PDB file of all heavy atoms in Angstrom:
ATOM      1  N   GLN A  53     -15.953   0.459   3.149  1.00  0.00           N
ATOM      2  CA  GLN A  53     -17.073   1.293   2.713  1.00  0.00           C
ATOM      3  C   GLN A  53     -16.571   2.147   1.530  1.00  0.00           C
ATOM      4  O   GLN A  53     -15.699   3.083   1.751  1.00  0.00           O
ATOM      5  CB  GLN A  53     -17.582   2.075   3.776  1.00  0.00           C
ATOM      6  CG  GLN A  53     -18.131   1.302   4.894  1.00  0.00           C
ATOM      7  CD  GLN A  53     -18.916   2.149   5.980  1.00  0.00           C
ATOM      8  OE1 GLN A  53     -19.285   3.320   5.821  1.00  0.00           O
ATOM      9  NE2 GLN A  53     -19.015   1.491   7.182  1.00  0.00           N
ATOM     10  N   LEU A  54     -17.213   2.042   0.345  1.00  0.00           N
ATOM     11  CA  LEU A  54     -16.916   2.842  -0.764  1.00  0.00           C
ATOM     12  C   LEU A  54     -18.234   3.348  -1.392  1.00  0.00           C
ATOM     13  O   LEU A  54     -19.177   2.575  -1.695  1.00  0.00           O
ATOM     14  CB  LEU A  54     -16.149   1.986  -1.879  1.00  0.00           C
ATOM     15  CG  LEU A  54     -14.675   1.539  -1.532  1.00  0.00           C
ATOM     16  CD1 LEU A  54     -14.172   0.707  -2.727  1.00  0.00           C
ATOM     17  CD2 LEU A  54     -13.743   2.730  -1.208  1.00  0.00           C
ATOM     18  N   GLY A  55     -18.268   4.727  -1.545  1.00  0.00           N
ATOM     19  CA  GLY A  55     -19.274   5.154  -2.301  1.00  0.00           C
ATOM     20  C   GLY A  55     -19.072   5.283  -3.756  1.00  0.00           C
ATOM     21  O   GLY A  55     -18.070   4.621  -4.251  1.00  0.00           O
ATOM     22  N   LEU A  56     -19.872   5.905  -4.551  1.00  0.00           N
ATOM     23  CA  LEU A  56     -19.743   6.023  -6.016  1.00  0.00           C
ATOM     24  C   LEU A  56     -18.473   6.987  -6.288  1.00  0.00           C
ATOM     25  O   LEU A  56     -18.312   7.996  -5.574  1.00  0.00           O
ATOM     26  CB  LEU A  56     -20.913   6.472  -6.702  1.00  0.00           C
ATOM     27  CG  LEU A  56     -22.270   5.557  -6.466  1.00  0.00           C
ATOM     28  CD1 LEU A  56     -23.377   6.238  -7.161  1.00  0.00           C
ATOM     29  CD2 LEU A  56     -21.945   4.220  -7.018  1.00  0.00           C
ATOM     30  N   GLY A  57     -17.847   6.685  -7.294  1.00  0.00           N
ATOM     31  CA  GLY A  57     -16.728   7.647  -7.693  1.00  0.00           C
ATOM     32  C   GLY A  57     -15.326   7.097  -7.347  1.00  0.00           C
ATOM     33  O   GLY A  57     -15.160   5.896  -7.244  1.00  0.00           O
ATOM     34  N   GLU A  58     -14.306   7.923  -7.309  1.00  0.00           N
ATOM     35  CA  GLU A  58     -12.950   7.479  -7.228  1.00  0.00           C
ATOM     36  C   GLU A  58     -12.515   7.738  -5.809  1.00  0.00           C
ATOM     37  O   GLU A  58     -13.030   8.598  -4.937  1.00  0.00           O
ATOM     38  CB  GLU A  58     -12.004   8.457  -8.135  1.00  0.00           C
ATOM     39  CG  GLU A  58     -12.228   8.296  -9.565  1.00  0.00           C
ATOM     40  CD  GLU A  58     -11.313   9.148 -10.433  1.00  0.00           C
ATOM     41  OE1 GLU A  58     -10.507   9.755  -9.748  1.00  0.00           O
ATOM     42  OE2 GLU A  58     -11.473   9.054 -11.577  1.00  0.00           O
ATOM     43  N   HIS A  59     -11.650   6.722  -5.318  1.00  0.00           N
ATOM     44  CA  HIS A  59     -11.205   6.698  -3.891  1.00  0.00           C
ATOM     45  C   HIS A  59      -9.731   6.359  -3.955  1.00  0.00           C
ATOM     46  O   HIS A  59      -9.222   5.572  -4.765  1.00  0.00           O
ATOM     47  CB  HIS A  59     -11.949   5.753  -3.147  1.00  0.00           C
ATOM     48  CG  HIS A  59     -13.457   5.909  -3.154  1.00  0.00           C
ATOM     49  ND1 HIS A  59     -14.138   6.651  -2.274  1.00  0.00           N
ATOM     50  CD2 HIS A  59     -14.417   5.329  -4.004  1.00  0.00           C
ATOM     51  CE1 HIS A  59     -15.506   6.557  -2.477  1.00  0.00           C
ATOM     52  NE2 HIS A  59     -15.618   5.860  -3.569  1.00  0.00           N
ATOM     53  N   ASP A  60      -9.044   6.889  -2.831  1.00  0.00           N
ATOM     54  CA  ASP A  60      -7.625   6.510  -2.622  1.00  0.00           C
ATOM     55  C   ASP A  60      -7.606   5.670  -1.370  1.00  0.00           C
ATOM     56  O   ASP A  60      -8.069   6.072  -0.320  1.00  0.00           O
ATOM     57  CB  ASP A  60      -6.802   7.716  -2.411  1.00  0.00           C
ATOM     58  CG  ASP A  60      -6.475   8.463  -3.641  1.00  0.00           C
ATOM     59  OD1 ASP A  60      -6.359   7.821  -4.724  1.00  0.00           O
ATOM     60  OD2 ASP A  60      -6.226   9.744  -3.712  1.00  0.00           O
ATOM     61  N   LEU A  61      -7.107   4.442  -1.563  1.00  0.00           N
ATOM     62  CA  LEU A  61      -6.844   3.518  -0.435  1.00  0.00           C
ATOM     63  C   LEU A  61      -5.469   3.656   0.018  1.00  0.00           C
ATOM     64  O   LEU A  61      -4.483   3.484  -0.811  1.00  0.00           O
ATOM     65  CB  LEU A  61      -7.117   2.049  -0.899  1.00  0.00           C
ATOM     66  CG  LEU A  61      -8.538   1.843  -1.401  1.00  0.00           C
ATOM     67  CD1 LEU A  61      -8.541   0.363  -1.821  1.00  0.00           C
ATOM     68  CD2 LEU A  61      -9.718   2.161  -0.547  1.00  0.00           C
ATOM     69  N   HIS A  62      -5.207   4.040   1.305  1.00  0.00           N
ATOM     70  CA  HIS A  62      -3.946   4.308   1.793  1.00  0.00           C
ATOM     71  C   HIS A  62      -3.527   3.146   2.758  1.00  0.00           C
ATOM     72  O   HIS A  62      -4.237   2.865   3.705  1.00  0.00           O
ATOM     73  CB  HIS A  62      -3.784   5.638   2.485  1.00  0.00           C
ATOM     74  CG  HIS A  62      -3.673   6.781   1.566  1.00  0.00           C
ATOM     75  ND1 HIS A  62      -2.493   7.203   0.996  1.00  0.00           N
ATOM     76  CD2 HIS A  62      -4.695   7.620   1.179  1.00  0.00           C
ATOM     77  CE1 HIS A  62      -2.788   8.244   0.184  1.00  0.00           C
ATOM     78  NE2 HIS A  62      -4.060   8.567   0.204  1.00  0.00           N
ATOM     79  N   PHE A  63      -2.330   2.583   2.464  1.00  0.00           N
ATOM     80  CA  PHE A  63      -1.797   1.594   3.347  1.00  0.00           C
ATOM     81  C   PHE A  63      -0.547   2.102   3.916  1.00  0.00           C
ATOM     82  O   PHE A  63       0.396   2.381   3.230  1.00  0.00           O
ATOM     83  CB  PHE A  63      -1.593   0.270   2.526  1.00  0.00           C
ATOM     84  CG  PHE A  63      -2.729  -0.365   1.876  1.00  0.00           C
ATOM     85  CD1 PHE A  63      -3.154   0.045   0.588  1.00  0.00           C
ATOM     86  CD2 PHE A  63      -3.441  -1.401   2.551  1.00  0.00           C
ATOM     87  CE1 PHE A  63      -4.320  -0.560   0.046  1.00  0.00           C
ATOM     88  CE2 PHE A  63      -4.584  -1.822   2.081  1.00  0.00           C
ATOM     89  CZ  PHE A  63      -5.054  -1.500   0.706  1.00  0.00           C
ATOM     90  N   SER A  64      -0.472   2.162   5.260  1.00  0.00           N
ATOM     91  CA  SER A  64       0.670   2.733   5.928  1.00  0.00           C
ATOM     92  C   SER A  64       1.462   1.646   6.680  1.00  0.00           C
ATOM     93  O   SER A  64       0.784   0.797   7.420  1.00  0.00           O
ATOM     94  CB  SER A  64       0.217   3.847   6.935  1.00  0.00           C
ATOM     95  OG  SER A  64      -0.333   4.837   6.256  1.00  0.00           O
ATOM     96  N   PHE A  65       2.808   1.708   6.638  1.00  0.00           N
ATOM     97  CA  PHE A  65       3.686   0.712   7.353  1.00  0.00           C
ATOM     98  C   PHE A  65       4.743   1.465   8.087  1.00  0.00           C
ATOM     99  O   PHE A  65       5.307   2.380   7.674  1.00  0.00           O
ATOM    100  CB  PHE A  65       4.379  -0.116   6.212  1.00  0.00           C
ATOM    101  CG  PHE A  65       3.478  -0.680   5.162  1.00  0.00           C
ATOM    102  CD1 PHE A  65       3.322  -0.013   4.078  1.00  0.00           C
ATOM    103  CD2 PHE A  65       2.851  -1.842   5.408  1.00  0.00           C
ATOM    104  CE1 PHE A  65       2.400  -0.476   3.002  1.00  0.00           C
ATOM    105  CE2 PHE A  65       2.014  -2.420   4.364  1.00  0.00           C
ATOM    106  CZ  PHE A  65       1.869  -1.638   3.168  1.00  0.00           C
ATOM    107  N   PRO A  66       4.978   1.085   9.400  1.00  0.00           N
ATOM    108  CA  PRO A  66       5.959   1.760  10.120  1.00  0.00           C
ATOM    109  C   PRO A  66       7.375   1.735   9.497  1.00  0.00           C
ATOM    110  O   PRO A  66       8.189   2.521   9.366  1.00  0.00           O
ATOM    111  CB  PRO A  66       6.022   0.951  11.383  1.00  0.00           C
ATOM    112  CG  PRO A  66       4.806   0.332  11.536  1.00  0.00           C
ATOM    113  CD  PRO A  66       4.274   0.035  10.142  1.00  0.00           C
ATOM    114  N   GLU A  67       7.531   0.597   8.673  1.00  0.00           N
ATOM    115  CA  GLU A  67       8.749   0.379   7.939  1.00  0.00           C
ATOM    116  C   GLU A  67       8.531  -0.912   7.099  1.00  0.00           C
ATOM    117  O   GLU A  67       7.786  -1.782   7.422  1.00  0.00           O
ATOM    118  CB  GLU A  67      10.039   0.310   8.619  1.00  0.00           C
ATOM    119  CG  GLU A  67      10.100  -0.799   9.714  1.00  0.00           C
ATOM    120  CD  GLU A  67      11.366  -1.003  10.495  1.00  0.00           C
ATOM    121  OE1 GLU A  67      12.398  -0.402  10.032  1.00  0.00           O
ATOM    122  OE2 GLU A  67      11.403  -1.467  11.677  1.00  0.00           O
ATOM    123  N   LEU A  68       9.321  -1.056   5.989  1.00  0.00           N
ATOM    124  CA  LEU A  68       9.392  -2.186   5.174  1.00  0.00           C
ATOM    125  C   LEU A  68      10.789  -2.686   5.082  1.00  0.00           C
ATOM    126  O   LEU A  68      11.528  -2.335   4.078  1.00  0.00           O
ATOM    127  CB  LEU A  68       8.812  -1.893   3.735  1.00  0.00           C
ATOM    128  CG  LEU A  68       7.318  -2.010   3.562  1.00  0.00           C
ATOM    129  CD1 LEU A  68       6.899  -1.612   2.139  1.00  0.00           C
ATOM    130  CD2 LEU A  68       6.671  -3.313   3.985  1.00  0.00           C
ATOM    131  N   PRO A  69      11.300  -3.527   6.044  1.00  0.00           N
ATOM    132  CA  PRO A  69      12.624  -3.866   6.048  1.00  0.00           C
ATOM    133  C   PRO A  69      12.986  -5.015   5.014  1.00  0.00           C
ATOM    134  O   PRO A  69      13.478  -6.024   5.413  1.00  0.00           O
ATOM    135  CB  PRO A  69      12.871  -4.370   7.541  1.00  0.00           C
ATOM    136  CG  PRO A  69      11.511  -5.005   7.818  1.00  0.00           C
ATOM    137  CD  PRO A  69      10.507  -4.060   7.171  1.00  0.00           C
ATOM    138  N   LEU A  70      12.726  -4.786   3.735  1.00  0.00           N
ATOM    139  CA  LEU A  70      12.904  -5.826   2.743  1.00  0.00           C
ATOM    140  C   LEU A  70      14.229  -5.559   2.089  1.00  0.00           C
ATOM    141  O   LEU A  70      14.754  -4.436   2.032  1.00  0.00           O
ATOM    142  CB  LEU A  70      11.826  -5.675   1.661  1.00  0.00           C
ATOM    143  CG  LEU A  70      10.444  -5.910   2.109  1.00  0.00           C
ATOM    144  CD1 LEU A  70       9.409  -5.627   0.874  1.00  0.00           C
ATOM    145  CD2 LEU A  70      10.226  -7.312   2.722  1.00  0.00           C
ATOM    146  N   ARG A  71      14.778  -6.580   1.577  1.00  0.00           N
ATOM    147  CA  ARG A  71      16.187  -6.458   0.960  1.00  0.00           C
ATOM    148  C   ARG A  71      15.954  -5.695  -0.318  1.00  0.00           C
ATOM    149  O   ARG A  71      14.889  -5.691  -0.911  1.00  0.00           O
ATOM    150  CB  ARG A  71      16.743  -7.859   0.572  1.00  0.00           C
ATOM    151  CG  ARG A  71      17.242  -8.678   1.732  1.00  0.00           C
ATOM    152  CD  ARG A  71      17.625  -9.972   1.405  1.00  0.00           C
ATOM    153  NE  ARG A  71      18.663 -10.032   0.352  1.00  0.00           N
ATOM    154  CZ  ARG A  71      19.863  -9.887   0.602  1.00  0.00           C
ATOM    155  NH1 ARG A  71      20.359  -9.543   1.755  1.00  0.00           N
ATOM    156  NH2 ARG A  71      20.799  -9.941  -0.405  1.00  0.00           N
ATOM    157  N   PRO A  72      16.901  -4.995  -0.835  1.00  0.00           N
ATOM    158  CA  PRO A  72      16.763  -4.176  -2.094  1.00  0.00           C
ATOM    159  C   PRO A  72      16.441  -5.072  -3.282  1.00  0.00           C
ATOM    160  O   PRO A  72      16.894  -6.144  -3.400  1.00  0.00           O
ATOM    161  CB  PRO A  72      18.231  -3.607  -2.262  1.00  0.00           C
ATOM    162  CG  PRO A  72      18.726  -3.440  -0.958  1.00  0.00           C
ATOM    163  CD  PRO A  72      18.217  -4.680  -0.223  1.00  0.00           C
ATOM    164  N   GLY A  73      15.574  -4.565  -4.066  1.00  0.00           N
ATOM    165  CA  GLY A  73      15.134  -5.291  -5.164  1.00  0.00           C
ATOM    166  C   GLY A  73      13.633  -4.855  -5.557  1.00  0.00           C
ATOM    167  O   GLY A  73      13.088  -3.847  -5.144  1.00  0.00           O
ATOM    168  N   ALA A  74      13.063  -5.592  -6.510  1.00  0.00           N
ATOM    169  CA  ALA A  74      11.689  -5.366  -7.110  1.00  0.00           C
ATOM    170  C   ALA A  74      10.725  -6.234  -6.481  1.00  0.00           C
ATOM    171  O   ALA A  74      10.892  -7.455  -6.311  1.00  0.00           O
ATOM    172  CB  ALA A  74      11.701  -5.463  -8.618  1.00  0.00           C
ATOM    173  N   TYR A  75       9.468  -5.701  -6.072  1.00  0.00           N
ATOM    174  CA  TYR A  75       8.526  -6.539  -5.455  1.00  0.00           C
ATOM    175  C   TYR A  75       7.271  -6.256  -6.134  1.00  0.00           C
ATOM    176  O   TYR A  75       6.943  -5.110  -6.574  1.00  0.00           O
ATOM    177  CB  TYR A  75       8.356  -6.197  -3.950  1.00  0.00           C
ATOM    178  CG  TYR A  75       9.587  -6.531  -3.077  1.00  0.00           C
ATOM    179  CD1 TYR A  75      10.777  -5.754  -3.141  1.00  0.00           C
ATOM    180  CD2 TYR A  75       9.720  -7.780  -2.639  1.00  0.00           C
ATOM    181  CE1 TYR A  75      11.897  -6.070  -2.420  1.00  0.00           C
ATOM    182  CE2 TYR A  75      10.864  -8.161  -1.818  1.00  0.00           C
ATOM    183  CZ  TYR A  75      12.010  -7.340  -1.753  1.00  0.00           C
ATOM    184  OH  TYR A  75      13.099  -7.729  -1.138  1.00  0.00           O
ATOM    185  N   SER A  76       6.331  -7.273  -6.086  1.00  0.00           N
ATOM    186  CA  SER A  76       5.092  -7.179  -6.826  1.00  0.00           C
ATOM    187  C   SER A  76       3.865  -7.047  -5.758  1.00  0.00           C
ATOM    188  O   SER A  76       3.952  -7.695  -4.732  1.00  0.00           O
ATOM    189  CB  SER A  76       4.827  -8.486  -7.634  1.00  0.00           C
ATOM    190  OG  SER A  76       3.651  -8.486  -8.273  1.00  0.00           O
ATOM    191  N   LEU A  77       3.138  -6.195  -6.020  1.00  0.00           N
ATOM    192  CA  LEU A  77       1.940  -5.844  -4.984  1.00  0.00           C
ATOM    193  C   LEU A  77       0.682  -6.307  -5.762  1.00  0.00           C
ATOM    194  O   LEU A  77       0.397  -5.960  -6.859  1.00  0.00           O
ATOM    195  CB  LEU A  77       1.807  -4.378  -4.774  1.00  0.00           C
ATOM    196  CG  LEU A  77       3.018  -3.702  -4.008  1.00  0.00           C
ATOM    197  CD1 LEU A  77       2.799  -2.222  -3.845  1.00  0.00           C
ATOM    198  CD2 LEU A  77       3.212  -4.281  -2.627  1.00  0.00           C
TER     199      LEU A  77
END
């Protein structure tokens, strides 16, 4: 649900056990 205007979408993760490097979202 989004009204008019600006909004922050927050995605929370207990952890991201990824190998060191660059990742694309």
Side-chain angles (χ1 to χ4, degrees):
Q53 298 184 17
L54 292 179
L56 300 178
E58 296 183 2
H59 304 270
D60 283 331
L61 306 177
H62 284 277
F63 299 88
S64 299
F65 314 91
E67 60 180 335
L68 278 178
L70 299 176
R71 288 175 58 80
Y75 294 86
S76 180
L77 296 175

